[in-house]
Amino acid sequence: MTDTTSTPLDELVAIMARLRDPDTGCEWDVEQTFETIAPYTIEEAYEVADAIQRDDMEQLKDELGDLQLQVVYHARMAEERGAFAIHDVIRAICDKMVRRHPHIFGGEAERPDWEALKAAERADADHKSVLDGVALALPALRRAEKIQNRAARQGFDWADACGPRDKIDEELAEIDAAETAAEREAEIGDLLFSVVNLARHYGLDAEAALAAATRRFESRYRLVEQMADRPLRDLSLDQYEDLWRRAKKQLAPTH
C-alpha cells in the first residue's frame, strides 16, 4: 500500500536509501562518496543556471529536480555516517532564514544589517578570519570577488576604480618581465584578480561579464564558420580578420 501521508521528498529520500543499500542497492550508487558526487552537484547547479538563462521553465523544472537529488544524495551519505539526515538539512535552512529576517519573523521594525548577521554566524562557527567560509569550489572569479568584498568591509580597499586600474597596468608590466612559466602564471593570476577588483569598483559582476563575453565570441565565431567558403584553417590571418569584422558588425546590438 502507498503511504498517502508521504510527500514527494519522502519518496525521493526512500529511493536514495534503496539505491544506497549495500546489499540490494545499485552498485554504482553504493560506491559513491561525498568527493565523487561533489562534481555532479556543481554541474547540476550550472545546469539550473543555464535553464534560467534560456528562460526554459520545463528544463528548469527538470534541472531543479536533479539538483534536489544531489542534496538528498549528500544527506543520505551523511546519515549513513550518523552525522545528519535530510530533515536536519531542511530544519537548519529554515532556522537560518528566520534568523536572518527578524524584520519579517521577529517583529523588528527595520531590516537588519545582512552582512553583520552573517558575520555573527561566522563568529558562532568559530571562524578565525573574515575570509573563512568562502567556498574553495566557487568559480575563480566569483571567489575572488567574495574575498575582495570581505576584505573591503574591513577597510582594505582602493578608494576608487583608479586603484585597480593602475594595478592592472602594473600586473601587465610584470607579466612582460616574467622569465619563467611559473612567474607568468602567478602574474596572470594577479592580473585576473585585479580585473575582478576593477569590475567590483564599477559595480559589475566579473563572472557574468566573462560569461557574456564568451557567449559573444561563440556567436561571432559560429557566424564566421557559416560565412567562410573554405575550412577556417585554410584562411589567411587577414581573411580571418575580415570575416570576424563582418560577423561582429552583423551581430552588433541594435538600439
Side-chain angles (χ1 to χ4, degrees), residues 12 14 37 74 78 86 108 134 153 156 159 163 167 186 207 218 221 227:
L12 182 57
I37 290 298
H74 286 286
I86 186 64
E108 294 188 11
V134 180
R153 286 194 290 272
F156 191 82
K167 191 67 175 174
E207 187 77 30
E218 183 179 12
Y221 196 86
M227 292 189 299

Side-chain angles (χ1 to χ4, degrees), residues 16 20 25 28 30 38 44 67 72 90 100 106-107 136 157 165 168 184 192 196 219 231 233 243 250:
M16 180 52 61
R20 289 278 299 177
W28 186 89
V30 171
E44 296 300 349
L67 186 58
V72 170
I90 296 171
R100 288 185 174 181
L136 292 172
D157 199 8
R165 179 63 185 83
I168 287 172
R184 260 181 236 103
L192 292 171
V196 172
S219 297
R233 69 175 67 90
L243 285 173
Q250 186 169 328

Side-chain angles (χ1 to χ4, degrees):
M1 293 179 62
T2 301
D3 182 0
T4 57
T5 64
S6 67
T7 67
L9 177 59
D10 294 327
E11 184 178 356
L12 182 57
V13 169
I15 289 171
M16 180 52 61
R18 185 168 179 180
L19 289 172
R20 289 278 299 177
D21 187 290
D23 297 320
T24 61
C26 169
E27 181 179 345
W28 186 89
D29 287 292
V30 171
E31 291 177 350
Q32 300 314 303
T33 65
F34 290 110
E35 291 76 17
T36 62
I37 290 298
Y40 295 100
T41 308
I42 295 170
E43 181 180 343
E44 296 300 349
Y46 276 116
E47 290 181 359
V48 166
D50 181 66
I52 292 170
Q53 183 71 34
R54 292 183 287 103
D55 194 27
D56 187 334
M57 291 296 103
E58 188 63 27
Q59 190 67 29
L60 178 59
K61 179 189 69 175
D62 289 343
E63 299 301 346
L64 286 172
D66 291 342
L67 186 58
Q68 179 65 68
L69 174 65
Q70 297 298 307
V71 176
V72 170
Y73 213 133
H74 286 286
R76 176 62 197 177
M77 291 187 289
E79 185 174 3
E80 291 166 1
R81 290 190 183 185
F84 58 82
I86 186 64
H87 295 291
D88 300 309
V89 174
I90 296 171
R91 171 45 51 200
I93 190 59
C94 287
D95 290 345
K96 182 184 291 185
M97 288 299 97
V98 171
R99 183 173 64 250
R100 288 185 174 181
H101 297 83
H103 59 303
I104 303 296
F105 301 105
E108 294 188 11
E110 296 184 3
R111 183 185 300 271
D113 184 334
W114 183 260
E115 292 302 331
L117 279 173
K118 291 196 288 186
E121 290 174 359
R122 289 194 293 272
D124 289 343
D126 197 29
H127 288 171
K128 295 179 175 59
S129 168
V130 296
L131 304 183
D132 287 349
V134 180
L136 292 172
L138 283 173
L141 296 183
R142 181 76 69 207
R143 189 166 192 272
E145 181 183 49
K146 284 183 171 291
I147 290 288
Q148 290 173 10
N149 281 333
R150 293 274 185 93
R153 286 194 290 272
Q154 305 303 311
F156 191 82
D157 199 8
W158 300 103
D160 54 38
C162 293
R165 179 63 185 83
D166 291 342
K167 191 67 175 174
I168 287 172
D169 289 336
E170 178 184 324
E171 298 301 345
L172 286 169
E174 291 180 357
I175 291 171
D176 291 339
E179 297 181 351
T180 68
E183 288 176 353
R184 260 181 236 103
E185 180 182 24
E187 298 303 343
I188 287 176
D190 290 343
L191 173 64
L192 292 171
F193 192 83
S194 297
V195 170
V196 172
N197 214 343
L198 180 63
R200 188 175 60 83
H201 273 270
Y202 282 134
L204 301 173
D205 182 329
E207 187 77 30
L210 179 57
T214 303
R215 288 194 299 271
R216 287 195 299 273
F217 177 89
E218 183 179 12
S219 297
R220 292 166 183 170
Y221 196 86
R222 289 179 185 275
L223 185 54
V224 166
E225 290 176 318
Q226 294 171 18
M227 292 189 299
D229 59 0
R230 72 194 78 172
L232 295 183
R233 69 175 67 90
D234 295 337
L235 297 176
S236 68
L237 185 59
D238 287 342
Q239 291 170 323
Y240 231 136
E241 183 64 26
D242 178 62
L243 285 173
W244 183 259
R245 284 195 298 267
R246 287 164 55 191
K248 188 175 180 179
K249 181 178 181 180
Q250 186 169 328
L251 293 175
T254 57
H255 301 284

